[in-house]
Amino acid sequence: MFAEKMVELGSKRSTIREIFEFGNKRAAEIGRENIFDFSLGNPNVPAPRSVSDTIVRMVMNEDAAALHGYTSAQGDAAVRSRLAASINETHGTHFTGDNLYMTVGAAASLCVCFKALAEEGDEFIGFAPYFPEYKVFAEGTGAKFKVVPADTDRFQIHFDAFEKLLNPKTKAVIVNSPNNPSGVVYSEETILRLTAILKERSKAYGHPIYLIADEPYREIVFDGVKVPYLTKYYDNTFVCYSYSKSLSLPGERIGYIVVPDEMEDAKSAYAAVCGAGRVLGYVCAPALFQKVVSECAGQTSDVEVYQKNRDLLYSGLTSMGYSCVKPQGAFYLFPRALESDAYAFCERAKTLDLLLVPGDDFDCPGHVRIAYCVKTEMIERSLAAFEKLAKMYQ
Ligand code: PLP
């Protein structure tokens, strides 16, 4: 009848969504202001004013048929050139528009890359903790998704476990930095070690192992920390980018993939991305937003708000006895739960209308994710609830 796996995937909501829905129900009962909802990574900081100004100007002044019409399947050529120039200016790279493929956000960028790469028997490797949809996207191609357990001391990479998982069937490795859910940025040392291993194993196996860099949080970093641009460290890198977080446009569904010329057989790699886009129907990303992001290239939402939220929450929680690796980016805190069962801990938090997500969802049990892309004032009010929760364990 129907594809069983699709019915299964479509029938169960993710835990994050369940918690979010619970929050909506409680908000109707006791008022939104009494719920401390840290469940979803939906940016609360608005897009910069220049984004709405650009939208209005374009909609009011440009030819509607051209503005809203189809673009090339891989995206408007002028848009891609402008974005390539902006990436080059920021990162010292040498891309042209021909290295870019416009997509409907990072989710689509990832699905296209997985689809472009996966052949029968292939395996993809991810590092816990990771965005749970990786597994769905990777397995959706028929490939296997293998997971390197978390390095819970620092949330960098557990290299011994990684080296054991690599094998001739490994087609690609996916990294996400700044990371959802840990907020950690992979250091240059981590990237150098990772790429050295990938180079060595690619040589040993006689085929490239690709690196997929999932980068929706690239610009959301604190204390001047640098996020290495991975194509400069490893030629066979696909960069999956999105404006969902950096420009606070998650509902507009816009992003891109970079396929560098340095990649082995780069022409075929780009053709495979176009082919995967075709098969998945991810062609001609929303025309208006292609143009809007190209006009606003290089801008971001106000990252200082996230830094303020991080500081408030990190210092508040650690002073109460919670243990947590200090995040350097994204907008998540990932402390240890105060009991080994993070689900039970989150249930207890719910009794205080504190909505957190168990780390099990990110393949990292014993931790909880706190999405602090919320109003600073809500964080201030929530601290008493976190304190009550901690006291329940004393
Ligand atoms: N990758 C990571 C790590 C994310 O956190 C998210 C969304 O939260 C995505 C990908 C998907 O992003 P997009 O909304 O651009 O599809």
Side-chain angles (χ1 to χ4, degrees), residues 143-392:
K144 284 208 173 88
F145 185 67
K146 299 219 165 159
V147 178
V148 179
D151 149 30
T152 51
D153 292 335
R154 299 190 311 140
F155 291 122
Q156 294 288 318
I157 288 181
H158 189 332
F159 279 107
D160 291 345
F162 173 53
E163 293 210 57
K164 284 192 188 117
L165 272 191
L166 283 165
N167 72 77
K169 293 188 208 149
T170 308
K171 183 51 89 61
V173 168
I174 176 160
V175 290
N176 167 225
S177 169
N179 184 265
N180 172 12
S182 73
V184 159
V185 172
Y186 286 157
S187 64
E188 186 175 46
E189 187 194 345
T190 293
I191 296 304
L192 286 170
R193 190 159 169 201
L194 171 70
T195 51
I197 293 170
L198 290 177
K199 284 173 197 166
E200 181 199 306
R201 294 296 182 105
S202 295
K203 203 166 160 204
Y205 302 149
H207 64 79
I209 299 175
Y210 295 91
L211 186 57
I212 301 174
D214 180 26
E215 305 212 324
Y217 302 96
R218 162 165 284 283
E219 289 84 6
I220 305 178
V221 285
F222 317 130
D223 311 321
V225 73
K226 294 268 179 291
V227 184
Y229 202 80
L230 297 191
T231 61
K232 293 166 81 175
Y233 294 80
Y234 192 67
D235 291 346
N236 290 315
T237 300
F238 292 92
V239 179
C240 295
Y241 187 77
S242 155
Y243 294 90
S244 295
K245 317 288 177 172
S246 63
L247 269 186
S248 305
L249 296 173
E252 306 303 350
R253 315 306 302 136
I254 190 77
Y256 59 76
I257 302 169
V258 176
V259 184
D261 284 338
E262 292 78 9
M263 184 174 281
E264 201 170 306
D265 198 3
K267 267 210 165 70
S268 299
Y270 191 82
V273 161
C274 294
R278 229 177 126 185
V279 165
L280 297 169
Y282 286 147
V283 289
C284 176
L288 172 61
F289 275 87
Q290 286 190 45
K291 290 162 194 150
V292 170
V293 295
S294 80
E295 293 259 329
C296 300
Q299 300 180 32
T300 64
S301 300
D302 185 358
V303 172
E304 277 181 27
V305 178
Y306 297 129
Q307 174 147 355
K308 189 167 172 203
N309 288 359
R310 188 238 9 208
D311 290 344
L312 194 60
L313 209 46
Y314 177 78
S315 61
L317 264 61
T318 49
S319 72
M320 292 170 201
Y322 291 89
S323 126
C324 185
V325 175
K326 190 172 187 180
Q328 294 168 300
F331 38 56
Y332 307 102
L333 206 71
F334 199 55
R336 277 184 202 278
L338 298 177
E339 60 181 299
S340 57
D341 181 348
Y343 281 105
F345 179 74
C346 290
E347 283 304 310
R348 204 174 257 206
K350 260 186 184 169
T351 64
L352 302 166
D353 291 306
L354 199 50
L355 307 186
L356 317 175
V357 180
D360 304 59
D361 272 40
F362 308 93
D363 243 340
C364 191
H367 291 74
V368 289
R369 188 186 79 170
I370 304 173
Y372 59 79
C373 45
V374 296
K375 288 209 162 71
T376 307
E377 160 275 324
M378 186 191 104
I379 296 179
E380 284 160 349
R381 287 188 296 110
S382 75
L383 291 176
F386 278 109
E387 183 131 45
K388 265 192 204 156
L389 183 61
K391 289 222 164 93
M392 289 178 176

